[in-house]
Amino acid sequence: MTTDTDTVPVLQDDPPPPAPAPRRFWAVRRIPAAILAVVLLGGAGLLLYDVAAVRAEHTAMAWRSSLAHDLATRPLDDTWVLAGAALAVALGLWLLVLAATPGLRAVLPMRREHADVRAGLDRKAAALALRDRAMEVSGVQSVQVRMGRAKVGVRAVSHFRELDVVRADLETVLGGGIDELGLAHPPALTVRVARPPRKG
């Protein structure tokens, strides 16, 4: 004897939305912005004051009269005109580069496990962590770690054991250490091992 049973659908929670791709951190650049704001505010205020003084039937400031005379009489191929134009172009390019580049090259973005959490790791801290891991390898006397955004350069000095064995151990240990850092873009690893210099 068989009985029909009603099947109750099992409700499953919706999977969490995937975390957005990690991006580099952008620098606030307060100092260049403050310098530019102060310079523009001072120049505009001085020019406005002089224009108001002329409107009140006072004489214009000497610097503005001299500047207007020089701009009206100097040829375009004059050295000072070219130097001023080059300086203005250089300042403009500098501001464009600051506006278009993220900066903060010392902060490495980490993997995003949650959409609303962003984390970064300082390069020096990452290099120090890898150096500590490398010093745990048997035979390593000293280590230098250069941490870049795309590459990690490791120079080790081994006073015993075969160099190839020490290098293989370092690659294994440091490869695991890089994975444990949780970086969004794990850098490539380059390991060099040498003997300490002979004394005398």
Side-chain angles (χ1 to χ4, degrees), residues 11-23:
L11 298 178
Q12 296 180 351
D13 294 335
D14 294 333
R23 295 174 297 176

Side-chain angles (χ1 to χ4, degrees), residues 97-189:
V97 168
L98 289 180
T101 55
L104 290 182
R105 297 180 59 85
V107 179
L108 302 173
M110 301 177 69
R111 289 192 295 266
R112 299 186 69 173
E113 303 294 340
H114 304 282
D116 55 347
V117 177
R118 289 187 68 198
L121 183 62
D122 184 75
R123 271 203 226 177
K124 291 182 179 180
L128 184 60
L130 294 179
R131 179 186 175 278
D132 291 342
R133 293 287 298 267
M135 289 298 296
E136 296 176 358
V137 175
S138 177
V140 173
Q141 183 179 17
S142 63
V143 181
Q144 292 181 348
V145 179
R146 298 186 63 181
M147 190 78 185
R149 291 178 51 239
K151 184 178 179 181
V152 179
V154 178
R155 292 177 177 268
V157 175
S158 175
H159 56 295
F160 69 93
R161 297 181 72 198
E162 294 293 333
L163 296 183
D164 293 338
V165 177
V166 175
R167 183 183 301 109
D169 290 347
L170 283 173
E171 289 177 351
T172 302
V173 170
L174 294 178
I178 291 174
D179 291 337
E180 291 178 2
L181 291 178
L183 299 178
H185 306 287
L189 176 63

Side-chain angles (χ1 to χ4, degrees), residues 11-101:
L11 298 178
Q12 296 180 351
D13 294 335
D14 294 333
R23 295 174 297 176
R24 289 182 58 188
F25 290 85
W26 283 72
V28 180
R29 294 190 173 101
R30 293 186 178 93
I31 295 178
I35 292 174
L36 180 61
V38 168
V39 170
L40 291 179
L41 183 61
L46 190 61
L47 183 60
L48 182 61
Y49 172 80
D50 192 46
V51 170
V54 172
R55 292 285 184 171
E57 298 181 356
H58 294 283
T59 57
M61 291 184 180
W63 67 269
R64 193 161 74 95
S65 300
S66 176
L67 180 61
H69 180 267
D70 287 344
L71 291 176
T73 57
R74 284 183 182 270
L76 294 179
D77 58 351
D78 184 75
T79 304
W80 287 105
V81 174
L82 295 176
L87 179 61
V89 170
L91 288 176
L93 290 176
W94 179 60
L95 293 175
L96 287 176
V97 168
L98 289 180
T101 55

